[in-house]
Every structure is written in structure tokens, then in C-alpha cells.
Amino acid sequence: SGESGAGKTESAKLLLQHIMNLCKGNSQLEQQILQVNPLLEAFGNAQTVMNDNSSRFGKYLQLRFQKNTVQGAKLSEYLLEKSRVVQQDTGERNFHIFYYMFAGLSSEEKEMYGLLDPSLYRYISGQYGTQEVVQRWKHKYQEVCNALDMVGFQEQEQVDMQAILSGVLSLGNVTFVSEESNGSVKVSESSQGWLKAAAVSHMHSLKKHYRYDASSHCPPWSPSVSCCCSLCTDARDSVAKVAYSRVFGWIVCKINELLAENVDPEVELREIGILDIFGFENFAVNRFEQLCINLANEQLQHFFNHHIFQLEQAAYKEEELPWETIPFNNNEPVLNLLLAKPLGLLSLLDEQSAFPQATDKTFVDKLNRSFKGNLYFQPGRGHVLGFSIVHYAGKVQYTAGGFLEKNRDTLPASIRGLFINSVTPLLSMLFTGKVLHTGLLRVLYLARMSVFVYPHQHSLMVLMERMYSANPHFVRCIKPNSKKEPGVLDRQLVLQQLRYNGLLETVRIRRDGFSWRPSFEEFVER
């Protein structure tokens, strides 16, 4: 754990290499486990203002052992930041894979996928890179291709996947205009070419789907046209986000097929899990995604406190050792604010998401009424619709725009049907399958939950259940400076992290407590 850019992903890779080196097991399997990283980073990482290679999802790698030899592995992914596909803030980029494709594909391949100059695409904000950066991306693209071959993706699957990604980019350039004669909305003439490129990539006729009858979708007043254009734009972005996240889930499934252990089911396997999850974030503009990320970090901090302070000190008291209780910064009140039922922030968000008439403003109004006087909640100031939460790592101001839509995370049934009927086998399969709540795609997964929980929340619940059932070791990553510079140590920034992570108290409990715990057998033998 640690802030965004503190080195969690690199530390996790080093830890994995170290474990692999120690167990001296199945060398081919070990190489495969190590080689899936370039693939995951290409599709799941992106440049942010805090980190040039920021994980935009959480991953939990379970290594399965028999007699100290790795027999298999399983990867779970959590909370992929889908919204990045359609929108990035200033100084940020889309997922790496889009830039790698532009840099690595030949002219003939770009023509085949209908890709034009990268500066034309809205979903990558018309940004590209310097010649030096493009060369690096070209090398990365080759790494991705090698990893795809190694994992076992067929050539046609790779072609279909890149066609889907190209179609996503073209779809982002489709715009809409109103037809004044009958009040419906259609694709603008200027973007017909982009629609055709997206349809060819996705092997569809999307054209007729993007015609909306204003009278049936919008209230009867003058802004109805802009309302319907907005509906079409939202539907377009929903398609792009879902298509990308399904591709990502499918890649994880293929990796798991490759790494699955091939042993007798009766044999008991031991397990080491490595959790590498996005770090605490506080940007100039913080949205729904930052709230999910910071909630995950808030829960992990509570988990750390529970093990290092509460369980440790309870053990000393139980053994009646002379012990003066060490106080620590307990973040339970913040978690109650966010997770309590029925009046926590997320419960209120779910309640508002269930009302068709609710808006982001009605949601914020409800928060202001419900949490008036709460020390960890502050209403928004000025004209920006939002609120602030005082997290364990500091106060974060959230912009509430888009909260309800992102929490609902729905795809119109008619659009889903369109993809199921695609003549591209991969695309049809991705939309026929169900997505498990850890983010893993499973074709024809039919389980139903008795109570509906929004996917991002269930994803976190599953993750925390796994954490609490394990024997944890904590790797705390400390960010040396905010400038992404090597060899520079900002003492104030480092001290701030040591404080809010509870590491100063951890040092004290380790120094004053009993850090070496031999078993009775070891003690007697000695």
C-alpha cells in the first residue's frame, strides 16, 4: 500500500521475482507468471499527474504451492477505472494500449483497423507523444504482442481484440444532431465516416440504433433536443467503457487459464497472495473513481490498524504482560460515514441511484442534510456541486457530477443485444458472458445475488473478505517526492506519510513489544 506513485507495482514485481527465485520450481510456469505483467500494465495502467505508470485497477495474485514449489496462480482484478476510456483530465492519458497500438502497428495494419492520425481521436484528447516517447511505445507494443503469444491468444483473437479497440476510438468521434422536422436525433453528417469505421471494426450496423425519438425519451419542453443528444452521447460512452472493460476481463480469464494448476484436486495446496492496489489519490478534480479508490485505501488502513494495534495489544493483555496501551489514529468513524447502513454515504448513493428522477444535486442535498455536524464530512463551497471527506490521509474535495450515472453503471438492453448479435465471435462472446463481481468475465456465469449490490461495492467486499481470512504481511511504500524525480527526498512529504500511515506508532509497538515469537518447540530445542 501507499500513495499513488509510491512504487507499489514495482515493489510487487520485485517481491514476485524474489518468491519465484526462492522456490526454484516449475521454470516455465514461473516465466509465464512474470511475463503477464506487461500485458496487465498495457491494458490496466495509464499516465496520471502523479505517476507515469499508474495502476488504474487493483490486482490480487494468488500463488499456489505444493511442497514449496509453485504449481499454479490465479489473478483477480478489482475496480478497473472504465471512465478513463472516454475522459481524461489535463496532464493525463488514456490506457497505455491505445498509444502502443498507434506506435507499433504497421501502416497496412492501421489501414486494416481503420486507424488514422492519433491527433484526430477525442478519446485520447488528440494527444500523442514526442519521437523518443513513440519509440518507447513501439518497443512496449512488441512486448505486449510477445505476452499475448505466450499467454496463448490465437492470431484471430488478437486481430479481433485490436479491431474492438480501434472501433472504440472511432466511436468516440461520433456526434449527434437533432432533426427539427420530427424531433428525433441522428448521427451528424460530419461524423458518418467515424460511425462507419466503428461499425466496420465492430461488424455492425450501428447507424439505425443511434436514432432517438425525442417525444418518447425527453420531457415536453424546449431543451428536449439537447437532452436527447446527451442521451445518445451517454449511450455512446457506455458502449466504449463496457467494450473495453469486457476485453480487459477476458484477458484476465485467458491468463488464469494459462496459469491454472494441473494437480490432483485432492492435493492440498498452500497459498501466498500479493495485493497490488491503486494508491490514495487527491487530484485537482476528484470524481466517483477517486472516492472508490480512497475507500479501498481507507479499508486497507483499517485492516492494518486492526492487525498491528488492536490484535497485537489484545494478545499482550491476554498474556497479562505489563503494557501501556499505544494510541493510534482509528479511522472507523470515516468508514462508518462511508459504509454504514442505511445512512452511510454509499447507501444514500444507492438509494438515489434507484430513483429515476434523482440527480447529482438531490444526492448532494441529501448528504448535506444527513451528515450535518459530522466531523469527517464538509459540504461543498461556492458554485461547484460537491462535498469533502476527511480521510485518514487528509481532506479530499469531491466533484459530485456523474456520481449517480457511474454508480448505476448500466448498459441499455438494446445496445447489449446489438453486440450479442455481432458477427465478430469475440465481441459476441464478451457480451454473452456475465462479469463476476471481482471483475472477472465468466461466459454463461448464472449465479444471482439475493440482494443487489452495485458492482464496485461488491468488488471491495470480496477483496476485504479475502484479506481478513489471511495471515497478512504489510509492505508500506513511501513516496520520496511529488515531482516524479529520482534521488530526491522531500523530508516533509515523507514525514507526512509516516504519520498518516501509522508507521511512527508501528515503530513504537515493535520497539516496546515482543516482535520475535518463537514457538514452544523452537524455544525448547534451543
Side-chain angles (χ1 to χ4, degrees):
S1 60
E3 278 191 23
S4 181
K8 296 177 297 299
T9 297
E10 293 305 314
S11 296
K13 286 192 283 194
L14 289 169
L15 183 58
L16 180 59
Q17 287 170 16
H18 182 59
I19 292 170
M20 291 302 188
N21 190 47
L22 287 174
C23 66
K24 300 272 191 292
N26 177 339
S27 57
Q28 186 190 355
L29 178 64
E30 286 166 20
Q31 283 310 306
Q32 288 170 334
I33 292 171
L34 293 171
Q35 284 174 331
V36 298
N37 269 319
L39 202 51
L40 293 169
E41 289 188 15
F43 285 84
N45 288 26
Q47 178 182 314
T48 69
V49 291
M50 297 173 82
N51 183 357
D52 291 347
N53 186 33
S54 178
S55 300
R56 307 315 299 164
F57 70 108
K59 64 174 177 284
Y60 184 56
L61 179 65
Q62 295 161 273
L63 300 171
R64 307 262 170 78
F65 293 85
Q66 183 186 5
K67 294 179 181 173
N68 297 334
T69 302
V70 179
Q71 295 293 342
K74 183 185 175 189
L75 188 72
S76 302
E77 51 101 351
Y78 300 90
L79 297 168
L80 178 73
E81 187 188 38
K82 292 184 293 190
S83 62
R84 183 166 293 271
V85 175
V86 301
Q87 178 190 16
Q88 309 92 44
D89 289 324
T90 308
E92 307 223 334
R93 291 188 184 275
N94 209 320
F95 290 102
H96 293 326
I97 187 62
F98 292 113
Y99 307 96
Y100 295 174
M101 282 173 61
F102 279 116
L105 289 170
S106 66
S107 302
E108 293 78 16
E109 288 169 324
K110 284 178 189 168
E111 192 174 334
M112 178 176 80
Y113 294 126
L115 286 175
L116 304 176
D117 189 278
S119 64
L120 298 172
Y121 293 92
R122 194 178 69 83
Y123 280 170
I124 55 174
S125 311
Q127 293 180 42
Y128 202 41
T130 62
Q131 205 158 358
E132 184 188 343
V133 170
V134 171
Q135 275 303 114
R136 194 165 71 244
W137 287 342
K138 194 172 182 178
H139 174 70
K140 289 283 188 185
Y141 179 76
Q142 199 50 56
E143 274 187 18
V144 170
C145 291
N146 294 342
L148 286 168
D149 291 337
M150 182 274 301
V151 170
F153 286 85
Q154 303 299 318
E155 187 178 349
Q156 189 57 49
E157 288 177 327
Q158 295 186 37
V159 168
D160 286 354
M161 180 172 66
Q162 295 192 83
I164 292 170
L165 296 179
S166 303
V168 163
L169 288 176
S170 297
L171 192 61
N173 284 12
V174 174
T175 54
F176 306 94
V177 292
S178 61
E179 285 189 317
E180 290 177 15
S181 57
N182 60 10
S184 67
V185 173
K186 67 173 184 178
V187 172
S188 65
E189 284 301 319
S190 61
S191 65
Q192 287 288 345
W194 292 113
L195 181 66
K196 187 177 177 185
V200 167
S201 294
H202 289 164
M203 302 294 182
H204 290 302
S205 172
L206 290 169
K207 187 173 181 177
K208 65 181 179 186
H209 189 80
Y210 282 116
R211 290 182 74 90
Y212 272 71
D213 175 7
S215 60
S216 65
H217 283 82
C218 297
W221 63 71
S222 56
S224 64
V225 165
S226 62
C227 165
C228 288
C229 281
S230 168
L231 274 172
C232 288
T233 303
D234 288 348
R236 175 201 68 198
D237 288 349
S238 290
V239 169
K241 289 187 288 188
V242 172
Y244 189 87
S245 66
R246 296 271 169 137
V247 167
F248 188 69
W250 172 65
I251 289 170
V252 171
C253 270
K254 293 283 283 188
I255 288 171
N256 283 334
E257 284 173 20
L258 171 82
L259 301 180
E261 60 272 8
N262 185 20
V263 294
D264 185 336
E266 300 296 311
V267 174
E268 189 186 349
L269 298 177
R270 310 289 297 274
E271 188 176 292
I272 294 177
I274 302 174
L275 176 69
D276 169 23
I277 201 159
F278 24 54
F280 186 85
E281 292 184 345
N282 190 357
F283 296 138
V285 179
N286 299 289
R287 298 189 170 87
F288 177 75
E289 293 77 18
Q290 275 66 51
L291 182 69
C292 289
I293 285 169
N294 291 342
L295 169 59
N297 280 275
E298 200 77 61
Q299 287 182 297
L300 286 173
Q301 180 65 22
H302 184 265
F303 178 61
F304 175 80
N305 288 344
H306 176 72
H307 274 273
I308 299 300
F309 299 114
Q310 290 167 314
L311 294 186
E312 183 97 352
Q313 299 193 83
Y316 294 166
K317 283 177 182 168
E318 192 183 326
E319 299 212 6
E320 298 181 6
L321 298 168
W323 181 256
E324 186 183 326
T325 301
I326 293 176
F328 61 94
N329 185 14
N330 190 345
N331 65 335
E332 263 182 44
V334 188
L335 284 176
N336 287 336
L337 167 73
L338 295 167
L339 297 173
K341 293 180 179 178
L343 293 175
L345 188 146
L346 289 186
S347 292
L348 296 175
L349 178 59
D350 289 348
E351 177 194 284
Q352 290 285 297
S353 299
F355 293 131
Q357 306 306 319
T359 63
D360 294 320
K361 185 178 186 314
T362 64
F363 167 59
V364 170
D365 290 344
K366 183 111 186 180
L367 294 186
N368 290 340
R369 288 195 302 274
S370 301
F371 299 130
K372 190 175 182 181
N374 189 305
L375 296 175
Y376 299 93
F377 177 89
Q378 295 175 9
R381 290 180 181 169
H383 301 297
V384 178
L385 185 66
F387 56 90
S388 295
I389 302 286
V390 182
H391 288 282
Y392 76 100
K395 186 170 85 171
V396 178
Q397 187 173 345
Y398 295 100
T399 300
F403 259 60
L404 293 191
E405 185 231 329
K406 287 172 181 176
N407 189 52
R408 288 177 183 132
D409 197 22
T410 52
L411 183 71
S414 53
I415 294 181
R416 188 164 172 266
L418 194 72
F419 281 96
I420 288 171
N421 295 324
S422 168
V423 296
T424 304
L426 174 60
L427 201 57
S428 178
M429 183 272 287
L430 291 180
F431 280 81
T432 306
K434 298 281 189 288
V435 178
L436 278 176
H437 286 299
T438 56
L440 299 174
L441 187 100
R442 281 285 181 275
V443 179
L444 302 178
Y445 174 78
L446 298 174
R448 290 284 182 272
M449 293 175 61
S450 56
V451 180
F452 182 73
V453 182
Y454 286 94
H456 61 273
Q457 293 177 41
H458 192 264
S459 191
L460 279 178
M461 281 161 50
V462 171
L463 176 61
M464 294 319 297
E465 280 169 15
R466 281 186 167 166
M467 294 296 98
Y468 277 97
S469 66
N471 174 28
H473 299 260
F474 299 95
V475 180
R476 308 308 294 247
C477 300
I478 302 296
K479 189 173 181 175
N481 65 76
S482 299
K483 298 174 182 174
K484 302 194 258 194
E485 292 284 334
V488 177
L489 192 83
D490 179 337
R491 293 172 67 87
Q492 203 53 44
L493 180 70
V494 169
L495 183 59
Q496 182 188 355
Q497 291 169 81
L498 294 177
R499 281 199 175 118
Y500 76 63
N501 276 324
L503 292 182
L504 300 181
E505 292 88 347
T506 307
V507 168
R508 199 176 144 201
I509 206 167
R510 287 285 180 262
R511 185 190 62 199
D512 295 351
F514 300 85
S515 54
W516 187 55
R517 314 281 173 84
S519 65
F520 288 114
E521 290 81 0
E522 284 176 296
F523 174 70
V524 170
E525 195 178 302
R526 183 160 180 186

